[in-house]
Short mmCIF file of all heavy atoms in Angstrom, two decimals:
data_model
loop_
_atom_site.label_atom_id
_atom_site.label_comp_id
_atom_site.label_asym_id
_atom_site.label_seq_id
_atom_site.Cartn_x
_atom_site.Cartn_y
_atom_site.Cartn_z
N MET A 1 126.82 13.71 46.91
CA MET A 1 127.62 14.73 46.22
C MET A 1 126.97 15.09 44.89
O MET A 1 126.91 14.30 43.96
CB MET A 1 129.03 14.19 45.94
CG MET A 1 129.88 14.01 47.17
SD MET A 1 130.47 15.57 47.81
CE MET A 1 132.09 15.68 47.03
N ALA A 2 126.44 16.28 44.81
CA ALA A 2 125.81 16.72 43.57
C ALA A 2 126.26 18.14 43.26
O ALA A 2 125.49 19.00 42.91
CB ALA A 2 124.31 16.64 43.69
N LEU A 3 127.51 18.37 43.43
CA LEU A 3 128.02 19.73 43.29
C LEU A 3 127.95 20.25 41.86
O LEU A 3 127.81 21.43 41.63
CB LEU A 3 129.47 19.78 43.78
CG LEU A 3 129.63 19.64 45.30
CD1 LEU A 3 131.10 19.56 45.68
CD2 LEU A 3 128.97 20.81 46.03
N THR A 4 128.04 19.36 40.89
CA THR A 4 128.04 19.80 39.51
C THR A 4 126.63 19.96 38.96
O THR A 4 126.44 20.51 37.90
CB THR A 4 128.82 18.80 38.62
OG1 THR A 4 128.33 17.50 38.88
CG2 THR A 4 130.30 18.85 38.92
N LYS A 5 125.66 19.49 39.69
CA LYS A 5 124.28 19.61 39.24
C LYS A 5 123.76 21.02 39.48
O LYS A 5 124.15 21.68 40.42
CB LYS A 5 123.40 18.62 40.02
CG LYS A 5 122.98 17.44 39.19
CD LYS A 5 121.91 16.67 39.93
CE LYS A 5 121.35 15.55 39.06
NZ LYS A 5 120.30 14.83 39.77
N HIS A 6 122.83 21.43 38.63
CA HIS A 6 122.25 22.75 38.83
C HIS A 6 121.18 22.66 39.90
O HIS A 6 120.07 22.21 39.67
CB HIS A 6 121.65 23.27 37.52
CG HIS A 6 122.70 23.84 36.63
ND1 HIS A 6 123.13 25.14 36.76
CD2 HIS A 6 123.42 23.31 35.64
CE1 HIS A 6 124.07 25.36 35.85
NE2 HIS A 6 124.27 24.27 35.16
N ASP A 7 121.54 23.10 41.02
CA ASP A 7 120.62 23.05 42.15
C ASP A 7 119.69 24.25 42.12
O ASP A 7 120.09 25.36 41.80
CB ASP A 7 121.45 23.06 43.44
CG ASP A 7 120.62 22.57 44.61
OD1 ASP A 7 119.38 22.69 44.56
OD2 ASP A 7 121.21 22.08 45.58
N LYS A 8 118.45 24.05 42.47
CA LYS A 8 117.49 25.15 42.48
C LYS A 8 117.85 26.21 43.52
O LYS A 8 117.49 27.36 43.40
CB LYS A 8 116.09 24.62 42.77
CG LYS A 8 115.44 24.06 41.53
CD LYS A 8 114.04 23.56 41.87
CE LYS A 8 113.43 22.88 40.64
NZ LYS A 8 112.19 22.20 41.01
N ALA A 9 118.51 25.79 44.52
CA ALA A 9 118.84 26.71 45.61
C ALA A 9 120.02 27.61 45.25
O ALA A 9 120.18 28.67 45.83
CB ALA A 9 119.16 25.92 46.86
N ALA A 10 120.80 27.17 44.30
CA ALA A 10 121.98 27.96 43.94
C ALA A 10 121.84 28.47 42.51
O ALA A 10 122.36 27.89 41.58
CB ALA A 10 123.23 27.12 44.08
N LYS A 11 121.11 29.54 42.38
CA LYS A 11 120.90 30.10 41.05
C LYS A 11 122.03 31.05 40.69
O LYS A 11 122.50 31.80 41.52
CB LYS A 11 119.57 30.85 41.01
CG LYS A 11 118.39 29.94 41.08
CD LYS A 11 117.12 30.75 41.21
CE LYS A 11 115.96 29.88 41.66
NZ LYS A 11 115.10 30.59 42.62
N VAL A 12 122.36 31.00 39.43
CA VAL A 12 123.42 31.88 38.94
C VAL A 12 122.81 32.80 37.89
O VAL A 12 121.89 32.43 37.17
CB VAL A 12 124.56 31.04 38.33
CG1 VAL A 12 125.59 31.93 37.64
CG2 VAL A 12 125.23 30.20 39.41
N CYS A 13 123.33 33.99 37.84
CA CYS A 13 122.88 34.99 36.87
C CYS A 13 122.90 34.41 35.46
O CYS A 13 123.84 33.73 35.07
CB CYS A 13 123.78 36.21 36.97
SG CYS A 13 123.34 37.53 35.85
N ASP A 14 121.87 34.68 34.71
CA ASP A 14 121.72 34.10 33.36
C ASP A 14 122.33 34.97 32.27
O ASP A 14 122.23 34.64 31.09
CB ASP A 14 120.23 33.88 33.05
CG ASP A 14 119.70 32.65 33.75
OD1 ASP A 14 120.46 31.70 33.92
OD2 ASP A 14 118.52 32.65 34.14
N VAL A 15 122.91 36.08 32.63
CA VAL A 15 123.51 36.95 31.62
C VAL A 15 124.84 36.38 31.16
O VAL A 15 125.61 35.84 31.96
CB VAL A 15 123.70 38.37 32.18
CG1 VAL A 15 124.41 39.27 31.18
CG2 VAL A 15 122.36 38.98 32.56
N VAL A 16 125.09 36.51 29.87
CA VAL A 16 126.32 36.00 29.28
C VAL A 16 127.54 36.60 29.99
O VAL A 16 127.57 37.78 30.30
CB VAL A 16 126.36 36.35 27.77
CG1 VAL A 16 127.69 35.95 27.16
CG2 VAL A 16 125.23 35.66 27.05
N ASN A 17 128.50 35.76 30.23
CA ASN A 17 129.76 36.17 30.88
C ASN A 17 129.60 36.58 32.33
O ASN A 17 130.46 37.26 32.87
CB ASN A 17 130.43 37.31 30.11
CG ASN A 17 130.93 36.84 28.75
OD1 ASN A 17 131.27 35.68 28.59
ND2 ASN A 17 130.96 37.73 27.81
N CYS A 18 128.52 36.20 32.94
CA CYS A 18 128.33 36.53 34.35
C CYS A 18 128.09 35.24 35.13
O CYS A 18 127.31 34.40 34.73
CB CYS A 18 127.15 37.47 34.53
SG CYS A 18 126.94 37.99 36.23
N GLY A 19 128.80 35.10 36.23
CA GLY A 19 128.63 33.90 37.02
C GLY A 19 128.28 34.22 38.46
O GLY A 19 128.51 33.43 39.37
N LYS A 20 127.71 35.39 38.65
CA LYS A 20 127.37 35.81 40.00
C LYS A 20 126.07 35.20 40.48
O LYS A 20 125.25 34.74 39.68
CB LYS A 20 127.27 37.34 40.04
CG LYS A 20 128.62 37.98 40.01
CD LYS A 20 128.51 39.47 40.08
CE LYS A 20 129.89 40.09 39.98
NZ LYS A 20 129.81 41.53 39.74
N GLU A 21 125.89 35.25 41.76
CA GLU A 21 124.70 34.67 42.35
C GLU A 21 123.46 35.47 41.97
O GLU A 21 123.46 36.70 42.04
CB GLU A 21 124.86 34.67 43.87
CG GLU A 21 123.95 33.67 44.55
CD GLU A 21 124.14 33.70 46.06
OE1 GLU A 21 125.29 33.80 46.50
OE2 GLU A 21 123.13 33.65 46.78
N ALA A 22 122.42 34.79 41.55
CA ALA A 22 121.20 35.45 41.11
C ALA A 22 120.38 35.91 42.29
O ALA A 22 120.31 35.24 43.32
CB ALA A 22 120.39 34.52 40.23
N GLU A 23 119.78 37.06 42.14
CA GLU A 23 118.95 37.62 43.21
C GLU A 23 117.50 37.73 42.80
O GLU A 23 116.60 37.67 43.62
CB GLU A 23 119.46 39.02 43.57
CG GLU A 23 120.75 39.00 44.31
CD GLU A 23 120.72 39.95 45.48
OE1 GLU A 23 119.98 40.93 45.40
OE2 GLU A 23 121.42 39.69 46.46
N ARG A 24 117.28 37.95 41.51
CA ARG A 24 115.93 38.18 41.05
C ARG A 24 115.62 37.31 39.84
O ARG A 24 116.49 36.96 39.07
CB ARG A 24 115.76 39.64 40.61
CG ARG A 24 116.10 40.62 41.66
CD ARG A 24 114.86 40.95 42.46
NE ARG A 24 115.15 42.03 43.40
CZ ARG A 24 114.23 42.82 43.92
NH1 ARG A 24 112.96 42.66 43.58
NH2 ARG A 24 114.55 43.73 44.77
N SER A 25 114.36 37.04 39.69
CA SER A 25 113.90 36.31 38.52
C SER A 25 113.04 37.25 37.70
O SER A 25 112.08 37.82 38.20
CB SER A 25 113.10 35.10 38.97
OG SER A 25 112.63 34.40 37.86
N ILE A 26 113.41 37.44 36.44
CA ILE A 26 112.72 38.40 35.60
C ILE A 26 112.08 37.70 34.42
O ILE A 26 112.66 36.79 33.83
CB ILE A 26 113.70 39.46 35.06
CG1 ILE A 26 114.53 40.07 36.19
CG2 ILE A 26 112.96 40.54 34.29
CD1 ILE A 26 113.75 40.92 37.14
N ASN A 27 110.89 38.14 34.07
CA ASN A 27 110.19 37.59 32.93
C ASN A 27 110.96 37.85 31.64
O ASN A 27 111.51 38.92 31.44
CB ASN A 27 108.80 38.25 32.86
CG ASN A 27 107.90 37.53 31.90
OD1 ASN A 27 108.10 37.58 30.69
ND2 ASN A 27 106.91 36.84 32.43
N MET A 28 110.96 36.85 30.79
CA MET A 28 111.72 36.93 29.54
C MET A 28 111.29 38.11 28.67
O MET A 28 112.10 38.77 28.03
CB MET A 28 111.47 35.62 28.79
CG MET A 28 112.61 35.14 27.96
SD MET A 28 114.22 35.53 28.55
CE MET A 28 115.04 35.61 26.98
N LYS A 29 110.00 38.41 28.64
CA LYS A 29 109.49 39.53 27.84
C LYS A 29 110.12 40.84 28.28
O LYS A 29 110.39 41.72 27.47
CB LYS A 29 107.96 39.63 28.00
CG LYS A 29 107.24 38.63 27.14
CD LYS A 29 105.74 38.85 27.27
CE LYS A 29 104.97 37.76 26.58
NZ LYS A 29 103.54 37.82 26.91
N GLN A 30 110.29 40.97 29.56
CA GLN A 30 110.89 42.19 30.09
C GLN A 30 112.37 42.26 29.79
O GLN A 30 112.91 43.30 29.47
CB GLN A 30 110.67 42.26 31.60
CG GLN A 30 109.22 42.52 31.96
CD GLN A 30 109.02 42.55 33.45
OE1 GLN A 30 108.90 41.52 34.08
NE2 GLN A 30 109.02 43.73 34.01
N ILE A 31 113.00 41.10 29.87
CA ILE A 31 114.44 41.04 29.56
C ILE A 31 114.66 41.46 28.10
O ILE A 31 115.62 42.15 27.79
CB ILE A 31 114.96 39.60 29.75
CG1 ILE A 31 114.81 39.18 31.21
CG2 ILE A 31 116.41 39.50 29.29
CD1 ILE A 31 115.93 39.54 32.11
N ALA A 32 113.74 41.06 27.25
CA ALA A 32 113.89 41.35 25.82
C ALA A 32 113.88 42.85 25.55
O ALA A 32 114.36 43.31 24.53
CB ALA A 32 112.77 40.66 25.05
N GLN A 33 113.32 43.61 26.46
CA GLN A 33 113.27 45.06 26.29
C GLN A 33 114.56 45.74 26.70
O GLN A 33 114.76 46.92 26.46
CB GLN A 33 112.11 45.64 27.12
CG GLN A 33 110.76 45.24 26.55
CD GLN A 33 109.63 45.61 27.49
OE1 GLN A 33 109.86 46.23 28.50
NE2 GLN A 33 108.42 45.22 27.15
N SER A 34 115.41 44.99 27.32
CA SER A 34 116.69 45.55 27.71
C SER A 34 117.77 45.03 26.76
O SER A 34 117.49 44.26 25.86
CB SER A 34 117.02 45.16 29.15
OG SER A 34 117.37 43.80 29.19
N SER A 35 118.98 45.44 27.00
CA SER A 35 120.06 45.00 26.11
C SER A 35 120.82 43.82 26.69
O SER A 35 121.86 43.42 26.18
CB SER A 35 121.02 46.17 25.86
OG SER A 35 121.63 46.55 27.07
N LEU A 36 120.31 43.26 27.75
CA LEU A 36 120.98 42.13 28.40
C LEU A 36 120.94 40.90 27.51
O LEU A 36 119.91 40.57 26.93
CB LEU A 36 120.31 41.82 29.74
CG LEU A 36 120.43 42.91 30.81
CD1 LEU A 36 119.66 42.49 32.05
CD2 LEU A 36 121.87 43.19 31.16
N LYS A 37 122.06 40.22 27.43
CA LYS A 37 122.11 39.00 26.63
C LYS A 37 122.18 37.80 27.57
O LYS A 37 123.04 37.74 28.45
CB LYS A 37 123.34 39.04 25.74
CG LYS A 37 123.22 40.14 24.70
CD LYS A 37 123.68 39.64 23.33
CE LYS A 37 123.19 40.55 22.24
NZ LYS A 37 124.24 41.04 21.39
N LEU A 38 121.32 36.85 27.31
CA LEU A 38 121.26 35.69 28.19
C LEU A 38 121.98 34.49 27.59
O LEU A 38 122.09 34.35 26.38
CB LEU A 38 119.80 35.32 28.44
CG LEU A 38 118.93 36.41 29.05
CD1 LEU A 38 117.52 35.91 29.23
CD2 LEU A 38 119.50 36.87 30.37
N LYS A 39 122.45 33.65 28.50
CA LYS A 39 123.13 32.43 28.07
C LYS A 39 122.14 31.51 27.37
O LYS A 39 122.44 30.87 26.38
CB LYS A 39 123.71 31.70 29.28
CG LYS A 39 124.81 32.47 29.97
CD LYS A 39 125.10 31.85 31.34
CE LYS A 39 125.96 32.78 32.18
NZ LYS A 39 125.97 32.40 33.59
N ASP A 40 120.93 31.48 27.91
CA ASP A 40 119.90 30.62 27.36
C ASP A 40 118.69 31.47 26.97
O ASP A 40 117.99 32.00 27.81
CB ASP A 40 119.50 29.58 28.41
CG ASP A 40 118.55 28.56 27.82
OD1 ASP A 40 118.16 28.71 26.65
OD2 ASP A 40 118.19 27.62 28.54
N GLN A 41 118.46 31.61 25.68
CA GLN A 41 117.38 32.49 25.20
C GLN A 41 116.02 31.79 25.25
O GLN A 41 115.00 32.43 25.10
CB GLN A 41 117.67 32.92 23.76
CG GLN A 41 119.01 33.57 23.59
CD GLN A 41 118.94 35.09 23.79
OE1 GLN A 41 117.88 35.65 23.97
NE2 GLN A 41 120.09 35.73 23.77
N GLY A 42 116.03 30.51 25.44
CA GLY A 42 114.78 29.77 25.36
C GLY A 42 114.03 29.62 26.67
O GLY A 42 113.13 28.81 26.76
N VAL A 43 114.41 30.40 27.65
CA VAL A 43 113.76 30.25 28.94
C VAL A 43 112.63 31.26 29.10
O VAL A 43 112.58 32.28 28.43
CB VAL A 43 114.78 30.42 30.09
CG1 VAL A 43 115.74 29.24 30.11
CG2 VAL A 43 115.53 31.73 29.96
N ARG A 44 111.72 30.96 30.00
CA ARG A 44 110.59 31.85 30.25
C ARG A 44 110.96 33.01 31.13
O ARG A 44 110.47 34.12 30.98
CB ARG A 44 109.47 31.06 30.94
CG ARG A 44 108.60 30.33 29.96
CD ARG A 44 107.42 29.82 30.71
NE ARG A 44 106.54 29.06 29.84
CZ ARG A 44 105.40 28.53 30.27
NH1 ARG A 44 105.05 28.67 31.52
NH2 ARG A 44 104.64 27.87 29.47
N SER A 45 111.81 32.73 32.09
CA SER A 45 112.27 33.79 32.96
C SER A 45 113.75 33.61 33.22
O SER A 45 114.26 32.49 33.17
CB SER A 45 111.49 33.77 34.28
OG SER A 45 111.77 32.58 34.97
N ALA A 46 114.41 34.71 33.46
CA ALA A 46 115.85 34.66 33.65
C ALA A 46 116.20 35.14 35.05
O ALA A 46 115.49 35.96 35.64
CB ALA A 46 116.54 35.51 32.61
N HIS A 47 117.28 34.61 35.55
CA HIS A 47 117.75 35.04 36.86
C HIS A 47 118.84 36.08 36.70
O HIS A 47 119.75 35.91 35.89
CB HIS A 47 118.27 33.84 37.64
CG HIS A 47 117.22 32.80 37.85
ND1 HIS A 47 117.23 31.60 37.19
CD2 HIS A 47 116.13 32.80 38.63
CE1 HIS A 47 116.16 30.90 37.56
NE2 HIS A 47 115.48 31.60 38.43
N LEU A 48 118.71 37.14 37.46
CA LEU A 48 119.69 38.20 37.37
C LEU A 48 120.38 38.43 38.70
O LEU A 48 119.76 38.35 39.75
CB LEU A 48 119.02 39.51 36.94
CG LEU A 48 118.37 39.55 35.55
CD1 LEU A 48 117.83 40.93 35.30
CD2 LEU A 48 119.35 39.16 34.47
N CYS A 49 121.66 38.73 38.65
CA CYS A 49 122.38 39.09 39.85
C CYS A 49 122.04 40.54 40.19
O CYS A 49 121.37 41.23 39.44
CB CYS A 49 123.88 38.91 39.64
SG CYS A 49 124.59 40.04 38.43
N LYS A 50 122.52 40.97 41.31
CA LYS A 50 122.21 42.31 41.79
C LYS A 50 122.59 43.37 40.76
O LYS A 50 121.83 44.27 40.45
CB LYS A 50 123.01 42.55 43.08
CG LYS A 50 122.30 43.46 44.06
CD LYS A 50 123.13 43.52 45.33
CE LYS A 50 122.33 44.14 46.46
NZ LYS A 50 123.09 44.10 47.72
N GLU A 51 123.79 43.24 40.22
CA GLU A 51 124.30 44.22 39.28
C GLU A 51 123.48 44.28 38.00
O GLU A 51 123.12 45.35 37.52
CB GLU A 51 125.74 43.86 38.90
CG GLU A 51 126.76 44.61 39.70
CD GLU A 51 128.16 44.15 39.33
OE1 GLU A 51 128.49 44.14 38.14
OE2 GLU A 51 128.89 43.77 40.26
N HIS A 52 123.19 43.13 37.45
CA HIS A 52 122.44 43.10 36.21
C HIS A 52 120.99 43.49 36.42
O HIS A 52 120.35 44.03 35.51
CB HIS A 52 122.56 41.71 35.56
CG HIS A 52 123.86 41.54 34.81
ND1 HIS A 52 124.75 40.55 35.08
CD2 HIS A 52 124.38 42.29 33.82
CE1 HIS A 52 125.80 40.70 34.27
NE2 HIS A 52 125.59 41.74 33.51
N TYR A 53 120.48 43.20 37.59
CA TYR A 53 119.11 43.62 37.87
C TYR A 53 119.04 45.14 37.90
O TYR A 53 118.11 45.75 37.38
CB TYR A 53 118.65 43.05 39.21
CG TYR A 53 117.25 43.48 39.57
CD1 TYR A 53 116.17 43.05 38.81
CD2 TYR A 53 117.01 44.33 40.65
CE1 TYR A 53 114.88 43.45 39.13
CE2 TYR A 53 115.73 44.73 40.97
CZ TYR A 53 114.67 44.29 40.20
OH TYR A 53 113.40 44.70 40.51
N LYS A 54 120.04 45.72 38.48
CA LYS A 54 120.14 47.18 38.53
C LYS A 54 120.17 47.74 37.12
O LYS A 54 119.46 48.68 36.78
CB LYS A 54 121.44 47.57 39.25
CG LYS A 54 121.24 48.42 40.49
CD LYS A 54 122.62 48.76 41.00
CE LYS A 54 122.60 49.58 42.26
NZ LYS A 54 123.97 49.77 42.77
N ALA A 55 121.04 47.18 36.29
CA ALA A 55 121.19 47.63 34.91
C ALA A 55 119.88 47.43 34.16
O ALA A 55 119.45 48.29 33.39
CB ALA A 55 122.30 46.84 34.22
N PHE A 56 119.25 46.31 34.41
CA PHE A 56 117.97 46.00 33.75
C PHE A 56 116.91 47.03 34.14
O PHE A 56 116.20 47.56 33.30
CB PHE A 56 117.54 44.60 34.17
CG PHE A 56 116.09 44.31 33.91
CD1 PHE A 56 115.64 44.02 32.64
CD2 PHE A 56 115.19 44.34 34.96
CE1 PHE A 56 114.30 43.78 32.40
CE2 PHE A 56 113.85 44.10 34.74
CZ PHE A 56 113.40 43.82 33.45
N LYS A 57 116.83 47.31 35.42
CA LYS A 57 115.84 48.26 35.91
C LYS A 57 116.06 49.63 35.31
O LYS A 57 115.12 50.30 34.90
CB LYS A 57 115.94 48.35 37.44
CG LYS A 57 114.73 47.76 38.13
CD LYS A 57 114.89 47.75 39.62
CE LYS A 57 114.60 49.10 40.25
NZ LYS A 57 114.78 49.03 41.72
N LYS A 58 117.31 50.02 35.25
CA LYS A 58 117.67 51.32 34.69
C LYS A 58 117.20 51.41 33.24
O LYS A 58 116.59 52.37 32.83
CB LYS A 58 119.19 51.46 34.75
CG LYS A 58 119.67 52.84 35.15
CD LYS A 58 121.17 52.81 35.21
CE LYS A 58 121.74 54.16 35.57
NZ LYS A 58 123.21 54.11 35.63
N GLU A 59 117.51 50.38 32.48
CA GLU A 59 117.18 50.39 31.06
C GLU A 59 115.67 50.36 30.82
O GLU A 59 115.17 51.09 29.98
CB GLU A 59 117.79 49.16 30.39
CG GLU A 59 119.26 49.34 30.11
CD GLU A 59 119.77 48.23 29.21
OE1 GLU A 59 118.98 47.70 28.43
OE2 GLU A 59 120.96 47.91 29.31
N THR A 60 114.99 49.52 31.53
CA THR A 60 113.56 49.39 31.30
C THR A 60 112.83 50.64 31.77
O THR A 60 111.84 51.05 31.20
CB THR A 60 112.98 48.15 32.01
OG1 THR A 60 113.40 48.16 33.35
CG2 THR A 60 113.44 46.88 31.33
N LYS A 61 113.32 51.24 32.83
CA LYS A 61 112.72 52.46 33.32
C LYS A 61 112.86 53.56 32.28
O LYS A 61 111.92 54.27 31.98
CB LYS A 61 113.43 52.89 34.62
CG LYS A 61 112.61 53.87 35.43
CD LYS A 61 113.41 54.34 36.63
CE LYS A 61 112.73 55.53 37.28
NZ LYS A 61 113.63 56.19 38.22
N THR A 62 114.06 53.64 31.71
CA THR A 62 114.33 54.66 30.71
C THR A 62 113.42 54.48 29.50
O THR A 62 112.82 55.43 29.03
CB THR A 62 115.80 54.56 30.24
OG1 THR A 62 116.63 54.67 31.38
CG2 THR A 62 116.14 55.68 29.28
N SER A 63 113.29 53.25 29.03
CA SER A 63 112.49 53.03 27.84
C SER A 63 111.01 53.31 28.13
O SER A 63 110.27 53.75 27.27
CB SER A 63 112.67 51.60 27.33
OG SER A 63 112.21 50.67 28.26
N ARG A 64 110.60 53.02 29.35
CA ARG A 64 109.22 53.28 29.71
C ARG A 64 108.95 54.79 29.71
O ARG A 64 107.93 55.25 29.25
CB ARG A 64 108.93 52.69 31.11
CG ARG A 64 107.80 51.68 31.05
CD ARG A 64 107.53 51.10 32.41
NE ARG A 64 107.95 49.72 32.49
CZ ARG A 64 108.40 49.15 33.59
NH1 ARG A 64 108.55 49.84 34.69
NH2 ARG A 64 108.74 47.89 33.58
N GLU A 65 109.89 55.52 30.23
CA GLU A 65 109.75 56.98 30.26
C GLU A 65 109.70 57.54 28.85
O GLU A 65 108.91 58.42 28.54
CB GLU A 65 110.91 57.59 31.05
CG GLU A 65 110.63 57.59 32.54
CD GLU A 65 111.84 57.96 33.36
OE1 GLU A 65 112.88 58.33 32.78
OE2 GLU A 65 111.75 57.87 34.57
N LEU A 66 110.54 56.99 27.99
CA LEU A 66 110.56 57.44 26.60
C LEU A 66 109.21 57.16 25.94
O LEU A 66 108.70 57.97 25.18
CB LEU A 66 111.67 56.73 25.83
CG LEU A 66 113.09 57.26 26.09
CD1 LEU A 66 114.10 56.41 25.37
CD2 LEU A 66 113.23 58.71 25.66
N ASP A 67 108.66 56.01 26.27
CA ASP A 67 107.37 55.67 25.71
C ASP A 67 106.31 56.71 26.08
O ASP A 67 105.49 57.10 25.28
CB ASP A 67 106.91 54.30 26.24
CG ASP A 67 107.52 53.17 25.43
OD1 ASP A 67 108.05 53.44 24.35
OD2 ASP A 67 107.44 52.04 25.88
N GLN A 68 106.38 57.16 27.33
CA GLN A 68 105.38 58.11 27.79
C GLN A 68 105.54 59.45 27.09
O GLN A 68 104.56 60.12 26.80
CB GLN A 68 105.53 58.29 29.30
CG GLN A 68 104.91 57.11 30.06
CD GLN A 68 105.19 57.20 31.54
OE1 GLN A 68 105.85 58.12 32.00
NE2 GLN A 68 104.69 56.24 32.28
N TYR A 69 106.75 59.82 26.80
CA TYR A 69 106.97 61.12 26.16
C TYR A 69 106.51 61.13 24.71
O TYR A 69 106.19 62.15 24.17
CB TYR A 69 108.45 61.52 26.25
CG TYR A 69 108.84 61.96 27.63
CD1 TYR A 69 109.89 61.35 28.30
CD2 TYR A 69 108.14 62.98 28.27
CE1 TYR A 69 110.25 61.75 29.57
CE2 TYR A 69 108.50 63.38 29.54
CZ TYR A 69 109.56 62.77 30.20
OH TYR A 69 109.90 63.15 31.44
N TYR A 70 106.50 59.97 24.11
CA TYR A 70 106.12 59.91 22.70
C TYR A 70 104.72 60.35 22.41
O TYR A 70 103.77 60.01 22.82
CB TYR A 70 106.33 58.46 22.17
CG TYR A 70 107.59 58.36 21.36
CD1 TYR A 70 108.81 58.51 21.99
CD2 TYR A 70 107.55 58.15 20.00
CE1 TYR A 70 109.98 58.43 21.27
CE2 TYR A 70 108.72 58.07 19.27
CZ TYR A 70 109.93 58.21 19.91
OH TYR A 70 111.08 58.13 19.19
ZN1 ZN B 101 124.89 39.08 36.34
#
């Protein structure tokens, strides 16, 4: 019985106030470019659920486009 342990197989979204199942692992540098707030800022990569990954992609895409227009 190790239900309370953080199992590698059961990743949870690292965004504050989110407890959904993680789908993607994103590099911390990329996360920093978005407005997502993580529970643990000291990690190299963060796990995002479907919803937050979508939000992340949207934000980073937008900022990238803005960069190109500059
Ligand atoms: Zn999430």
Side-chain angles (χ1 to χ4, degrees):
M1 290 285 265
L3 289 174
T4 50
K5 254 191 174 181
H6 279 276
D7 198 334
K8 278 181 185 170
K11 290 173 196 141
V12 173
C13 181
D14 283 327
V15 176
V16 175
N17 292 331
C18 184
K20 285 181 183 167
E21 201 180 319
E23 288 224 332
R24 304 269 187 157
S25 179
I26 310 291
N27 193 291
M28 212 32 210
K29 280 184 188 170
Q30 289 178 278
I31 298 273
Q33 290 171 5
S34 73
S35 63
L36 294 178
K37 294 224 163 125
L38 303 180
K39 295 167 193 165
D40 187 357
Q41 305 270 355
V43 291
R44 276 190 182 182
S45 65
H47 300 108
L48 297 182
C49 66
K50 212 175 193 176
E51 263 177 53
H52 279 122
Y53 179 66
K54 239 184 182 175
F56 163 78
K57 248 175 80 180
K58 221 178 179 180
E59 281 191 28
T60 50
K61 198 185 168 194
T62 304
S63 63
R64 239 180 251 148
E65 275 170 6
L66 283 175
D67 277 346
Q68 283 174 359
Y69 286 125
Y70 258 68

